[in-house]
Amino acid sequence: MRLKFSEFLVVFVIVSVLLVGGCSTQKVSSETSSPSATATEASTNTTTQSTTETTTDATSVSEATQEAIPGMKDLPRLEGKATVVMTVKGSPITIEVDGTNAPITAGNFVDLVQRGVYDGLVFHRVVRQPQPFVVQGGDPQSKDPKVSANRLGTGGFIDPKTGTERYIPLEIKPQGAEAPIYGKTLETARINQPPVLTHKLGAVAMARSQMPDSASSQFYFALADLGFLDGNYAVFGYVTEGMDVVNKIQQGDRIDSAKVTQGAENLKNGGK
């Protein structure tokens, strides 16, 4: 179905908001000169070279972690599913995290929950107009109330082992495939099949910058069916209870706590 021009503008604007709200330490800009951004760009170039050599045929997760993205085998991964209960203003949100179809993305999220990274963080972006879009949070900088609002949305998780920001590759599993593809959108990979994990109402996915392998800790809840994001952003789970709580979140609200209530044993390479 073709979008009318006005509808296209709406889609363009809200997706642009999501892009800017990703890990903006990796903004694509001629003025970008930070070491982390430069290192990430180099990593992305390496990823592009590697992934062009990787066929879209099904490969095992272990093969993918060795071939697709350098260092990916050392990232946390979730083998199976887990349940996370996130509490906001005293009310629980239950999230089923799907490591079967998004092992690295799900593992990253569960690891950060286990580390307590999300406790006390702010939802810095809530977009409901002109139509329901996303509730986004997960910037570790937001734990400090002294950090200015215009900086929120630019931070990610600093790995204490390395002292640098941890990034994860874009991970999307097409329907019919045995394993996800890494470092590419489905369009870039020339895959016409839709993803297994889609942006339906209640989807939980990773925010990122324009570079595909730039997600760190920021995530968002989908406030509606957002099929136009499918294949471009990594969904890793769904809200199974508490969507009414998500719908009440306002910009500036904080996460009281996030806890893994089931499936913690499925996390591998976790830091805690």
Side-chain angles (χ1 to χ4, degrees), residues 236-253:
F236 61 87
Y238 295 96
V239 174
T240 56
E241 294 181 52
M243 196 62 205
D244 58 323
V245 180
V246 175
N247 286 330
K248 294 176 183 176
I249 293 174
Q250 300 297 317
Q251 189 164 311
D253 286 349

Side-chain angles (χ1 to χ4, degrees), residues 138-153:
D139 183 345
Q141 296 179 112
S142 67
K143 187 169 289 189
D144 183 356
K146 296 180 181 178
V147 173
S148 61
N150 61 6
R151 281 182 55 192
L152 299 184

Side-chain angles (χ1 to χ4, degrees), residues 76-85 95-99 103 106-115 258-272:
R77 67 182 185 276
L78 187 69
E79 297 181 349
K81 294 188 176 182
T83 302
V84 169
V85 175
I95 304 167
E96 183 182 80
V97 184
D98 190 344
N108 177 70
F109 183 75
V110 170
D111 178 56
L112 296 178
V113 170
Q114 291 278 60
R115 292 172 181 264
K259 306 293 182 186
V260 180
T261 59
Q262 293 182 30
E265 68 279 4
N266 295 331
L267 178 66
K268 311 302 178 184
N269 290 342
K272 186 176 181 179

Side-chain angles (χ1 to χ4, degrees), residues 146-209:
K146 296 180 181 178
V147 173
S148 61
N150 61 6
R151 281 182 55 192
L152 299 184
T154 66
F157 169 65
I158 304 299
D159 191 332
K161 290 184 178 179
T162 64
T164 60
E165 191 165 339
R166 184 173 81 190
Y167 300 110
I168 60 172
L170 180 62
E171 175 183 56
I172 301 174
K173 183 178 180 180
Q175 290 183 13
E178 292 186 10
I181 62 168
Y182 293 93
K184 291 184 177 183
T185 65
L186 293 190
E187 181 180 7
T188 302
R190 298 182 180 179
I191 295 176
N192 295 322
Q193 292 297 320
V196 174
L197 301 178
T198 62
H199 280 82
K200 64 183 181 181
L201 173 66
V204 190
M206 295 302 291
R208 62 174 177 84
S209 74

